[in-house]
Every structure is written in C-alpha cells, then in structure tokens.
Amino acid sequence: MSPEITSIQMFGIKTPIIRAGDDIVQILEASLQDAGIIPVEGDVFVLAESAVATAEKRIVELASIRPGERALSLGEKYGIDPREMELVLQECDELFGGVPGAALTITKGILSPNAGIDASNAPEGHVVLLPADPRRSSKNIRKKLEQRYSCRLGVIVGDSRTQPLRLGCTGIALGVSGFVPVEDARGTFDIYGKPLRLTYKAAADNLVSAAELLMGEAGERVPCVLIRGAPVQMVDESPEMPTISMEGCMYFGNIIKDRKENPKKENQ
C-alpha cells in the first residue's frame, strides 16, 4: 500500500509599494492578474501586517510625537527613539522590560517587541503601527476577495516574531478569517497509538511561518503569499485567535512568579 502523499503550493504575490489609503484588495486583484494566478476554493491568503496597516492609514510621522518623561527614560534605557518609545507605551497592554533596541510588551494579547511597531518598510521618519483590529481586517479582505472570485477563501494578517532563545524570525497570525486557526488534536493518536492529551495544531501560525520564506524581511515587495492545498478546516466566520493566560504560559508563568518573589526587579 502506497503511503499518502500530501503537498501544498505557495505563490508569492509581488505588488507595487502600498501607501496609506490604498485599496489593498484592488492591488491584490491587479497583482494576481499580472502573475496569472486565479484563486480557487480553499486558497489561503497570508498578508503582511505592515501592508494592511499602511493601507488602513496606521502610519505615524515621528516628528509629530512628543515623548513624555517615561518614554524619554525608557528610550534611553533600551536604546529606542523616545518618540517611538512613546508610541510603544500608547499601543501596548503591558511593558515587561527589554534589551538594547527592543522593548518587551504584551500588545493585543500577544508577545510583541516594541508593541509590533515597524520602522522597516515605512517611509523615512515614519513608523507603522499594527492594524487596529487584525481580525476585522482579515474578515473585510476575505469577504471582498470571495465576492470577486466566487469561491471560499481564507485570509491571515500575519507578522514575524522571534522565539525565546532562538535567532531569527518565524511567523505569527494576528487575525484570521475563513478557517479554524488552531485545531484541537487532543484525543488523536501518535504513530504508536498513544492518545495525545495536550496537543493543539497552530495552523494559522504555521502558514504564516511558511509564507515568511517568500515574503522576506527587506525590500522583496512580496506582502502577500497565496497558499494552495493547506490542510485547514474552512469556515464561514472569523474566529478569535485562541490564547492562554500568562499564568498558564510556560514562559510568562515563570516571569510572573519571579516578579512576585522579587518585586524590586519589576520594571516601573
């Protein structure tokens, strides 16, 4: 009996530079046509958050920002432009600390260096904030694409992140529409027939990580990757991205414990 062979395809969609106020769906449609690609049932679009945020006018000119005392102090401490540090404080849910060049924050419920604020792929003297509501963004884009191509599609607004103690970036989904982003694998069995008790499949994050290989981090101008054949469960909704409490997190649970045991170490 032949083993089952599975595969997916990925197409990097190169676009013109996306500017504030652009219709990102129109740009995608034109770029897909130029590339000779027609979306089909079950395709998943992975979109760079910076492109989505730029189209949504989430660009800030640093010259317009007046940093407060805390931003001045923390900016000097972490080697961050105090104007950008002011935006970090405004955007983040919580600040934990940092290293030279990066402040460690929880922003929109997830771990985000510098509150996800991006100075790369932004005009000189500007930064790009995260989309205000990545879930809503992914839903709006999906609905327009589905109407245009008359098929069910998935959309992810994704970003790059570093992993603890690892060099380099992987991908993370900020907002998802059209498929289940995290699949519950509990109750299934491993190759030896043992039941899985704690396993969840981070489908959306894994797709963003794969797309990052084509998107790149510099001037590639590939803000979208179309993934075909992804093994995901399509749904006609925009599910919330599942999260866990900080206390239940293997990493932050220990940080919280250390804070309680050593209150003087907590960043003011």
Side-chain angles (χ1 to χ4, degrees):
M1 183 176 178
S2 299
E4 182 181 0
I5 299 175
T6 60
S7 65
I8 64 174
Q9 291 177 289
M10 298 197 304
F11 305 89
I13 310 301
K14 197 165 187 175
T15 72
I17 293 176
I18 295 172
R19 305 187 188 280
D22 282 350
D23 187 326
I24 195 169
V25 174
Q26 287 186 1
I27 291 174
L28 289 176
E29 289 175 0
S31 298
L32 286 165
Q33 185 174 1
D34 290 344
I37 298 172
I38 300 175
V40 299
E41 184 84 8
D43 282 355
V44 175
F45 287 81
V46 180
L47 299 172
E49 54 79 23
S50 57
V52 174
T54 297
E56 295 177 350
K57 301 181 180 180
R58 294 277 287 168
I59 296 182
V60 177
E61 184 179 8
L62 288 176
S64 68
I65 302 300
R66 292 189 177 184
E69 290 185 9
R70 189 180 183 210
L72 289 168
S73 174
L74 291 174
E76 181 178 3
K77 181 177 181 179
Y78 300 128
I80 299 172
D81 185 315
R83 300 168 298 179
E84 184 176 344
M85 192 69 237
E86 179 64 37
L87 291 171
V88 169
L89 293 174
Q90 292 176 15
E91 289 288 306
C92 77
D93 304 325
E94 188 170 358
L95 175 69
F96 282 90
V99 296
L104 180 63
T105 75
I106 295 292
T107 302
K108 299 185 187 302
I110 59 175
L111 182 64
S112 300
N114 294 343
I117 295 170
D118 197 353
S120 61
N121 297 315
E124 187 66 30
H126 295 70
V127 294
V128 183
L129 311 182
L130 291 178
D133 187 341
R135 180 187 178 202
R136 182 180 61 196
S137 300
S138 64
K139 177 182 178 180
N140 291 341
I141 293 169
R142 176 177 72 91
K143 290 295 187 181
K144 291 178 181 178
L145 288 171
E146 286 185 337
Q147 185 176 18
R148 168 66 176 82
Y149 295 107
S150 301
C151 60
R152 290 205 307 172
L153 301 167
V155 170
I156 307 172
V157 175
D159 198 2
S160 58
R161 291 286 188 274
T162 56
Q163 295 294 322
L165 304 181
R166 296 299 297 264
L167 182 64
C169 294
T170 58
I172 186 170
L174 304 179
V176 169
S177 184
F179 69 98
V180 178
V182 177
E183 298 177 10
D184 189 350
R186 294 175 301 174
T188 58
F189 299 89
D190 69 10
I191 60 174
Y192 295 104
K194 295 178 292 185
L196 301 178
R197 303 185 185 279
L198 299 174
T199 302
Y200 290 84
K201 178 183 175 183
D205 289 347
N206 290 335
L207 291 177
V208 179
S209 292
E212 288 282 330
L213 295 171
L214 296 180
M215 284 182 170
E217 294 288 337
E220 292 84 357
R221 280 180 35 209
V222 180
C224 173
V225 172
L226 184 149
I227 300 179
R228 181 163 295 166
V232 295
Q233 180 183 344
M234 303 297 290
V235 293
D236 188 22
E237 57 184 274
S238 304
E240 291 275 8
M241 287 299 302
T243 60
I244 60 176
S245 68
M246 287 193 289
E247 290 78 8
C249 172
M250 178 174 62
Y251 303 109
F252 276 91
N254 282 287
I255 292 175
I256 293 171
K257 180 180 177 182
D258 182 66
R259 275 185 164 190
K260 291 179 179 178
E261 294 177 351
N262 303 280
K264 291 184 179 180
K265 291 171 62 178
E266 183 174 352
N267 186 41
Q268 301 297 325

